[in-house]
PDB file of all heavy atoms in Angstrom:
ATOM      1  N   LEU I  57      87.842  79.624 -49.536  1.00  0.00           N
ATOM      2  CA  LEU I  57      87.186  79.622 -50.777  1.00  0.00           C
ATOM      3  C   LEU I  57      85.938  78.797 -50.826  1.00  0.00           C
ATOM      4  O   LEU I  57      84.971  79.019 -51.501  1.00  0.00           O
ATOM      5  CB  LEU I  57      88.140  79.118 -51.831  1.00  0.00           C
ATOM      6  CG  LEU I  57      89.415  80.091 -52.211  1.00  0.00           C
ATOM      7  CD1 LEU I  57      90.319  79.373 -53.106  1.00  0.00           C
ATOM      8  CD2 LEU I  57      88.896  81.362 -52.695  1.00  0.00           C
ATOM      9  N   PHE I  58      86.043  77.671 -49.988  1.00  0.00           N
ATOM     10  CA  PHE I  58      84.911  76.627 -49.888  1.00  0.00           C
ATOM     11  C   PHE I  58      84.589  76.354 -48.482  1.00  0.00           C
ATOM     12  O   PHE I  58      85.092  75.415 -47.953  1.00  0.00           O
ATOM     13  CB  PHE I  58      85.326  75.412 -50.670  1.00  0.00           C
ATOM     14  CG  PHE I  58      85.843  75.573 -52.065  1.00  0.00           C
ATOM     15  CD1 PHE I  58      87.187  75.575 -52.401  1.00  0.00           C
ATOM     16  CD2 PHE I  58      84.964  75.804 -53.145  1.00  0.00           C
ATOM     17  CE1 PHE I  58      87.647  75.774 -53.709  1.00  0.00           C
ATOM     18  CE2 PHE I  58      85.386  76.066 -54.393  1.00  0.00           C
ATOM     19  CZ  PHE I  58      86.667  76.019 -54.740  1.00  0.00           C
ATOM     20  N   PRO I  59      83.852  77.246 -47.820  1.00  0.00           N
ATOM     21  CA  PRO I  59      83.592  77.115 -46.415  1.00  0.00           C
ATOM     22  C   PRO I  59      83.035  75.787 -45.956  1.00  0.00           C
ATOM     23  O   PRO I  59      83.358  75.331 -44.880  1.00  0.00           O
ATOM     24  CB  PRO I  59      82.564  78.299 -46.101  1.00  0.00           C
ATOM     25  CG  PRO I  59      82.737  79.271 -47.233  1.00  0.00           C
ATOM     26  CD  PRO I  59      83.166  78.455 -48.455  1.00  0.00           C
ATOM     27  N   MET I  60      82.231  75.148 -46.762  1.00  0.00           N
ATOM     28  CA  MET I  60      81.632  73.838 -46.360  1.00  0.00           C
ATOM     29  C   MET I  60      82.689  72.704 -46.222  1.00  0.00           C
ATOM     30  O   MET I  60      82.337  71.681 -45.621  1.00  0.00           O
ATOM     31  CB  MET I  60      80.569  73.502 -47.371  1.00  0.00           C
ATOM     32  CG  MET I  60      79.273  74.244 -47.217  1.00  0.00           C
ATOM     33  SD  MET I  60      78.633  74.218 -45.544  1.00  0.00           S
ATOM     34  CE  MET I  60      78.206  72.488 -45.441  1.00  0.00           C
ATOM     35  N   LEU I  61      83.832  72.876 -46.773  1.00  0.00           N
ATOM     36  CA  LEU I  61      84.943  71.956 -46.577  1.00  0.00           C
ATOM     37  C   LEU I  61      85.309  71.749 -45.139  1.00  0.00           C
ATOM     38  O   LEU I  61      85.799  70.708 -44.658  1.00  0.00           O
ATOM     39  CB  LEU I  61      86.189  72.282 -47.343  1.00  0.00           C
ATOM     40  CG  LEU I  61      86.117  72.117 -48.834  1.00  0.00           C
ATOM     41  CD1 LEU I  61      87.416  72.563 -49.526  1.00  0.00           C
ATOM     42  CD2 LEU I  61      85.893  70.667 -49.274  1.00  0.00           C
ATOM     43  N   LYS I  62      84.962  72.815 -44.324  1.00  0.00           N
ATOM     44  CA  LYS I  62      85.286  72.719 -42.804  1.00  0.00           C
ATOM     45  C   LYS I  62      84.538  71.508 -42.230  1.00  0.00           C
ATOM     46  O   LYS I  62      84.939  70.929 -41.244  1.00  0.00           O
ATOM     47  CB  LYS I  62      84.889  74.008 -42.190  1.00  0.00           C
ATOM     48  CG  LYS I  62      85.736  75.202 -42.548  1.00  0.00           C
ATOM     49  CD  LYS I  62      85.223  76.415 -41.848  1.00  0.00           C
ATOM     50  CE  LYS I  62      85.910  77.591 -42.176  1.00  0.00           C
ATOM     51  NZ  LYS I  62      85.358  78.876 -41.501  1.00  0.00           N
ATOM     52  N   PHE I  63      83.337  71.258 -42.778  1.00  0.00           N
ATOM     53  CA  PHE I  63      82.455  70.204 -42.228  1.00  0.00           C
ATOM     54  C   PHE I  63      82.454  68.905 -42.952  1.00  0.00           C
ATOM     55  O   PHE I  63      81.616  68.055 -42.738  1.00  0.00           O
ATOM     56  CB  PHE I  63      81.003  70.861 -42.170  1.00  0.00           C
ATOM     57  CG  PHE I  63      80.872  72.129 -41.493  1.00  0.00           C
ATOM     58  CD1 PHE I  63      80.725  73.277 -42.278  1.00  0.00           C
ATOM     59  CD2 PHE I  63      81.022  72.267 -40.176  1.00  0.00           C
ATOM     60  CE1 PHE I  63      80.606  74.525 -41.614  1.00  0.00           C
ATOM     61  CE2 PHE I  63      80.924  73.444 -39.495  1.00  0.00           C
ATOM     62  CZ  PHE I  63      80.722  74.651 -40.242  1.00  0.00           C
ATOM     63  N   ARG I  64      83.464  68.742 -43.807  1.00  0.00           N
ATOM     64  CA  ARG I  64      83.508  67.555 -44.670  1.00  0.00           C
ATOM     65  C   ARG I  64      83.579  66.235 -43.860  1.00  0.00           C
ATOM     66  O   ARG I  64      82.883  65.305 -44.054  1.00  0.00           O
ATOM     67  CB  ARG I  64      84.624  67.595 -45.674  1.00  0.00           C
ATOM     68  CG  ARG I  64      84.626  66.468 -46.723  1.00  0.00           C
ATOM     69  CD  ARG I  64      85.524  66.707 -47.869  1.00  0.00           C
ATOM     70  NE  ARG I  64      86.955  66.834 -47.501  1.00  0.00           N
ATOM     71  CZ  ARG I  64      87.694  65.775 -47.461  1.00  0.00           C
ATOM     72  NH1 ARG I  64      87.367  64.689 -47.890  1.00  0.00           N
ATOM     73  NH2 ARG I  64      88.985  65.934 -47.122  1.00  0.00           N
ATOM     74  N   THR I  65      84.383  66.256 -42.745  1.00  0.00           N
ATOM     75  CA  THR I  65      84.570  65.127 -41.905  1.00  0.00           C
ATOM     76  C   THR I  65      83.363  64.790 -41.239  1.00  0.00           C
ATOM     77  O   THR I  65      82.874  63.594 -41.212  1.00  0.00           O
ATOM     78  CB  THR I  65      85.652  65.379 -40.885  1.00  0.00           C
ATOM     79  OG1 THR I  65      86.975  65.501 -41.628  1.00  0.00           O
ATOM     80  CG2 THR I  65      85.863  64.069 -39.886  1.00  0.00           C
ATOM     81  N   ILE I  66      82.633  65.811 -40.690  1.00  0.00           N
ATOM     82  CA  ILE I  66      81.427  65.540 -40.021  1.00  0.00           C
ATOM     83  C   ILE I  66      80.388  64.961 -41.009  1.00  0.00           C
ATOM     84  O   ILE I  66      79.598  63.915 -40.703  1.00  0.00           O
ATOM     85  CB  ILE I  66      80.838  66.889 -39.434  1.00  0.00           C
ATOM     86  CG1 ILE I  66      81.709  67.427 -38.392  1.00  0.00           C
ATOM     87  CG2 ILE I  66      79.384  66.660 -38.791  1.00  0.00           C
ATOM     88  CD1 ILE I  66      81.198  68.807 -37.843  1.00  0.00           C
ATOM     89  N   LEU I  67      80.205  65.483 -42.233  1.00  0.00           N
ATOM     90  CA  LEU I  67      79.248  65.026 -43.126  1.00  0.00           C
ATOM     91  C   LEU I  67      79.531  63.571 -43.578  1.00  0.00           C
ATOM     92  O   LEU I  67      78.625  62.799 -43.788  1.00  0.00           O
ATOM     93  CB  LEU I  67      79.227  65.973 -44.332  1.00  0.00           C
ATOM     94  CG  LEU I  67      78.740  67.372 -44.115  1.00  0.00           C
ATOM     95  CD1 LEU I  67      78.949  68.287 -45.334  1.00  0.00           C
ATOM     96  CD2 LEU I  67      77.319  67.380 -43.693  1.00  0.00           C
ATOM     97  N   ASN I  68      80.927  63.366 -43.739  1.00  0.00           N
ATOM     98  CA  ASN I  68      81.158  61.987 -44.159  1.00  0.00           C
ATOM     99  C   ASN I  68      80.856  60.937 -43.074  1.00  0.00           C
ATOM    100  O   ASN I  68      80.471  59.759 -43.351  1.00  0.00           O
ATOM    101  CB  ASN I  68      82.659  61.839 -44.568  1.00  0.00           C
ATOM    102  CG  ASN I  68      82.879  62.519 -45.915  1.00  0.00           C
ATOM    103  OD1 ASN I  68      82.018  62.755 -46.759  1.00  0.00           O
ATOM    104  ND2 ASN I  68      84.134  62.902 -46.180  1.00  0.00           N
ATOM    105  N   GLU I  69      81.143  61.353 -41.787  1.00  0.00           N
ATOM    106  CA  GLU I  69      80.815  60.423 -40.678  1.00  0.00           C
ATOM    107  C   GLU I  69      79.289  60.170 -40.572  1.00  0.00           C
ATOM    108  O   GLU I  69      78.767  59.081 -40.406  1.00  0.00           O
ATOM    109  CB  GLU I  69      81.318  61.020 -39.420  1.00  0.00           C
ATOM    110  CG  GLU I  69      82.849  60.983 -39.267  1.00  0.00           C
ATOM    111  CD  GLU I  69      83.353  61.578 -38.060  1.00  0.00           C
ATOM    112  OE1 GLU I  69      82.543  62.453 -37.391  1.00  0.00           O
ATOM    113  OE2 GLU I  69      84.489  61.403 -37.652  1.00  0.00           O
ATOM    114  N   LEU I  70      78.554  61.229 -40.728  1.00  0.00           N
ATOM    115  CA  LEU I  70      77.142  61.158 -40.706  1.00  0.00           C
ATOM    116  C   LEU I  70      76.535  60.259 -41.832  1.00  0.00           C
ATOM    117  O   LEU I  70      75.656  59.351 -41.634  1.00  0.00           O
ATOM    118  CB  LEU I  70      76.371  62.531 -40.816  1.00  0.00           C
ATOM    119  CG  LEU I  70      76.474  63.405 -39.539  1.00  0.00           C
ATOM    120  CD1 LEU I  70      76.151  64.881 -39.808  1.00  0.00           C
ATOM    121  CD2 LEU I  70      75.610  62.835 -38.434  1.00  0.00           C
ATOM    122  N   LYS I  71      77.134  60.471 -42.983  1.00  0.00           N
ATOM    123  CA  LYS I  71      76.667  59.593 -44.150  1.00  0.00           C
ATOM    124  C   LYS I  71      77.035  58.132 -43.937  1.00  0.00           C
ATOM    125  O   LYS I  71      76.229  57.240 -44.195  1.00  0.00           O
ATOM    126  CB  LYS I  71      77.420  60.109 -45.360  1.00  0.00           C
ATOM    127  CG  LYS I  71      77.024  59.340 -46.619  1.00  0.00           C
ATOM    128  CD  LYS I  71      77.594  59.894 -47.867  1.00  0.00           C
ATOM    129  CE  LYS I  71      77.248  59.040 -49.179  1.00  0.00           C
ATOM    130  NZ  LYS I  71      77.805  59.569 -50.349  1.00  0.00           N
ATOM    131  N   CYS I  72      78.195  57.838 -43.391  1.00  0.00           N
ATOM    132  CA  CYS I  72      78.602  56.478 -43.125  1.00  0.00           C
ATOM    133  C   CYS I  72      77.732  55.812 -42.133  1.00  0.00           C
ATOM    134  O   CYS I  72      77.247  54.692 -42.332  1.00  0.00           O
ATOM    135  CB  CYS I  72      80.027  56.397 -42.682  1.00  0.00           C
ATOM    136  SG  CYS I  72      80.743  54.776 -42.188  1.00  0.00           S
ATOM    137  N   GLU I  73      77.378  56.484 -41.083  1.00  0.00           N
ATOM    138  CA  GLU I  73      76.577  55.970 -39.991  1.00  0.00           C
ATOM    139  C   GLU I  73      75.062  55.782 -40.545  1.00  0.00           C
ATOM    140  O   GLU I  73      74.432  54.823 -40.268  1.00  0.00           O
ATOM    141  CB  GLU I  73      76.528  56.885 -38.736  1.00  0.00           C
ATOM    142  CG  GLU I  73      75.961  56.307 -37.518  1.00  0.00           C
ATOM    143  CD  GLU I  73      74.462  56.444 -37.397  1.00  0.00           C
ATOM    144  OE1 GLU I  73      73.940  57.300 -38.159  1.00  0.00           O
ATOM    145  OE2 GLU I  73      73.753  55.758 -36.617  1.00  0.00           O
ATOM    146  N   LEU I  74      74.609  56.722 -41.326  1.00  0.00           N
ATOM    147  CA  LEU I  74      73.222  56.645 -41.906  1.00  0.00           C
ATOM    148  C   LEU I  74      73.160  55.494 -42.767  1.00  0.00           C
ATOM    149  O   LEU I  74      72.106  54.694 -42.755  1.00  0.00           O
ATOM    150  CB  LEU I  74      72.898  57.985 -42.592  1.00  0.00           C
ATOM    151  CG  LEU I  74      71.592  58.097 -43.334  1.00  0.00           C
ATOM    152  CD1 LEU I  74      70.408  57.830 -42.280  1.00  0.00           C
ATOM    153  CD2 LEU I  74      71.366  59.357 -44.052  1.00  0.00           C
ATOM    154  N   LEU I  75      74.123  55.241 -43.741  1.00  0.00           N
ATOM    155  CA  LEU I  75      73.969  54.104 -44.619  1.00  0.00           C
ATOM    156  C   LEU I  75      73.991  52.858 -43.870  1.00  0.00           C
ATOM    157  O   LEU I  75      73.263  51.885 -44.198  1.00  0.00           O
ATOM    158  CB  LEU I  75      75.156  54.218 -45.601  1.00  0.00           C
ATOM    159  CG  LEU I  75      75.119  55.293 -46.622  1.00  0.00           C
ATOM    160  CD1 LEU I  75      76.437  55.346 -47.504  1.00  0.00           C
ATOM    161  CD2 LEU I  75      73.892  55.112 -47.619  1.00  0.00           C
ATOM    162  N   ALA I  76      74.828  52.694 -42.828  1.00  0.00           N
ATOM    163  CA  ALA I  76      74.910  51.417 -42.028  1.00  0.00           C
ATOM    164  C   ALA I  76      73.533  51.276 -41.349  1.00  0.00           C
ATOM    165  O   ALA I  76      73.009  50.104 -41.304  1.00  0.00           O
ATOM    166  CB  ALA I  76      76.084  51.437 -41.104  1.00  0.00           C
ATOM    167  N   SER I  77      72.900  52.317 -40.862  1.00  0.00           N
ATOM    168  CA  SER I  77      71.577  52.236 -40.119  1.00  0.00           C
ATOM    169  C   SER I  77      70.559  51.623 -41.047  1.00  0.00           C
ATOM    170  O   SER I  77      69.737  50.880 -40.665  1.00  0.00           O
ATOM    171  CB  SER I  77      71.205  53.584 -39.621  1.00  0.00           C
ATOM    172  OG  SER I  77      72.214  54.020 -38.619  1.00  0.00           O
ATOM    173  N   LEU I  78      70.632  52.232 -42.279  1.00  0.00           N
ATOM    174  CA  LEU I  78      69.547  51.818 -43.235  1.00  0.00           C
ATOM    175  C   LEU I  78      69.811  50.334 -43.664  1.00  0.00           C
ATOM    176  O   LEU I  78      68.797  49.612 -43.865  1.00  0.00           O
ATOM    177  CB  LEU I  78      69.628  52.706 -44.548  1.00  0.00           C
ATOM    178  CG  LEU I  78      69.264  54.152 -44.272  1.00  0.00           C
ATOM    179  CD1 LEU I  78      69.466  54.988 -45.581  1.00  0.00           C
ATOM    180  CD2 LEU I  78      67.714  54.293 -43.999  1.00  0.00           C
ATOM    181  N   LYS I  79      71.025  49.879 -43.766  1.00  0.00           N
ATOM    182  CA  LYS I  79      71.248  48.550 -44.131  1.00  0.00           C
ATOM    183  C   LYS I  79      70.828  47.631 -43.108  1.00  0.00           C
ATOM    184  O   LYS I  79      70.319  46.481 -43.361  1.00  0.00           O
ATOM    185  CB  LYS I  79      72.738  48.342 -44.418  1.00  0.00           C
ATOM    186  CG  LYS I  79      73.187  48.959 -45.704  1.00  0.00           C
ATOM    187  CD  LYS I  79      74.758  48.855 -45.802  1.00  0.00           C
ATOM    188  CE  LYS I  79      75.362  49.559 -47.064  1.00  0.00           C
ATOM    189  NZ  LYS I  79      76.803  49.403 -47.026  1.00  0.00           N
ATOM    190  N   LEU I  80      71.053  48.048 -41.810  1.00  0.00           N
ATOM    191  CA  LEU I  80      70.713  47.070 -40.676  1.00  0.00           C
ATOM    192  C   LEU I  80      69.249  47.043 -40.433  1.00  0.00           C
ATOM    193  O   LEU I  80      68.688  45.964 -40.009  1.00  0.00           O
ATOM    194  CB  LEU I  80      71.432  47.591 -39.444  1.00  0.00           C
ATOM    195  CG  LEU I  80      72.877  47.253 -39.343  1.00  0.00           C
ATOM    196  CD1 LEU I  80      73.576  47.981 -38.212  1.00  0.00           C
ATOM    197  CD2 LEU I  80      73.074  45.708 -39.049  1.00  0.00           C
ATOM    198  N   GLY I  81      68.448  48.053 -40.701  1.00  0.00           N
ATOM    199  CA  GLY I  81      67.032  47.997 -40.444  1.00  0.00           C
ATOM    200  C   GLY I  81      66.689  47.661 -39.020  1.00  0.00           C
ATOM    201  O   GLY I  81      67.202  48.271 -38.105  1.00  0.00           O
ATOM    202  N   ALA I  82      65.883  46.631 -38.831  1.00  0.00           N
ATOM    203  CA  ALA I  82      65.411  46.256 -37.457  1.00  0.00           C
ATOM    204  C   ALA I  82      66.601  45.608 -36.599  1.00  0.00           C
ATOM    205  O   ALA I  82      66.459  45.486 -35.331  1.00  0.00           O
ATOM    206  CB  ALA I  82      64.346  45.206 -37.537  1.00  0.00           C
ATOM    207  N   ASP I  83      67.733  45.286 -37.207  1.00  0.00           N
ATOM    208  CA  ASP I  83      68.930  44.813 -36.494  1.00  0.00           C
ATOM    209  C   ASP I  83      69.754  45.966 -36.099  1.00  0.00           C
ATOM    210  O   ASP I  83      70.982  45.754 -35.909  1.00  0.00           O
ATOM    211  CB  ASP I  83      69.635  43.865 -37.388  1.00  0.00           C
ATOM    212  CG  ASP I  83      68.844  42.566 -37.609  1.00  0.00           C
ATOM    213  OD1 ASP I  83      68.102  42.166 -36.774  1.00  0.00           O
ATOM    214  OD2 ASP I  83      68.945  41.984 -38.706  1.00  0.00           O
ATOM    215  N   ILE I  84      69.243  47.214 -35.991  1.00  0.00           N
ATOM    216  CA  ILE I  84      70.072  48.340 -35.669  1.00  0.00           C
ATOM    217  C   ILE I  84      70.915  48.151 -34.377  1.00  0.00           C
ATOM    218  O   ILE I  84      72.050  48.800 -34.265  1.00  0.00           O
ATOM    219  CB  ILE I  84      69.228  49.570 -35.458  1.00  0.00           C
ATOM    220  CG1 ILE I  84      70.005  50.903 -35.479  1.00  0.00           C
ATOM    221  CG2 ILE I  84      68.228  49.492 -34.214  1.00  0.00           C
ATOM    222  CD1 ILE I  84      70.655  51.194 -36.774  1.00  0.00           C
ATOM    223  N   GLU I  85      70.532  47.339 -33.468  1.00  0.00           N
ATOM    224  CA  GLU I  85      71.296  47.177 -32.196  1.00  0.00           C
ATOM    225  C   GLU I  85      72.613  46.508 -32.475  1.00  0.00           C
ATOM    226  O   GLU I  85      73.558  46.544 -31.713  1.00  0.00           O
ATOM    227  CB  GLU I  85      70.558  46.322 -31.281  1.00  0.00           C
ATOM    228  CG  GLU I  85      71.084  46.360 -29.853  1.00  0.00           C
ATOM    229  CD  GLU I  85      70.090  45.807 -28.821  1.00  0.00           C
ATOM    230  OE1 GLU I  85      69.025  45.379 -29.205  1.00  0.00           O
ATOM    231  OE2 GLU I  85      70.405  45.746 -27.651  1.00  0.00           O
ATOM    232  N   ASN I  86      72.784  45.889 -33.713  1.00  0.00           N
ATOM    233  CA  ASN I  86      74.074  45.235 -34.052  1.00  0.00           C
ATOM    234  C   ASN I  86      74.953  46.176 -34.768  1.00  0.00           C
ATOM    235  O   ASN I  86      76.035  45.759 -35.301  1.00  0.00           O
ATOM    236  CB  ASN I  86      73.839  44.004 -34.891  1.00  0.00           C
ATOM    237  CG  ASN I  86      72.986  42.956 -34.112  1.00  0.00           C
ATOM    238  OD1 ASN I  86      73.241  42.757 -32.966  1.00  0.00           O
ATOM    239  ND2 ASN I  86      72.065  42.332 -34.774  1.00  0.00           N
ATOM    240  N   MET I  87      74.715  47.539 -34.826  1.00  0.00           N
ATOM    241  CA  MET I  87      75.625  48.549 -35.396  1.00  0.00           C
ATOM    242  C   MET I  87      76.923  48.438 -34.819  1.00  0.00           C
ATOM    243  O   MET I  87      77.148  48.639 -33.633  1.00  0.00           O
ATOM    244  CB  MET I  87      75.034  49.867 -35.290  1.00  0.00           C
ATOM    245  CG  MET I  87      75.894  50.972 -35.666  1.00  0.00           C
ATOM    246  SD  MET I  87      75.926  51.261 -37.460  1.00  0.00           S
ATOM    247  CE  MET I  87      74.427  52.242 -37.652  1.00  0.00           C
TER     248      MET I  87
END
Side-chain angles (χ1 to χ4, degrees):
L57 295 174
F58 307 101
M60 286 304 296
L61 285 177
K62 296 178 181 179
F63 306 107
R64 188 164 65 91
T65 297
I66 297 175
L67 294 173
N68 286 342
E69 289 176 343
L70 286 166
K71 181 179 180 180
C72 179
E73 194 274 342
L74 177 60
L75 288 174
S77 299
L78 292 172
K79 291 176 184 177
L80 282 166
D83 293 325
I84 191 67
E85 195 166 358
N86 297 321
M87 170 79 80

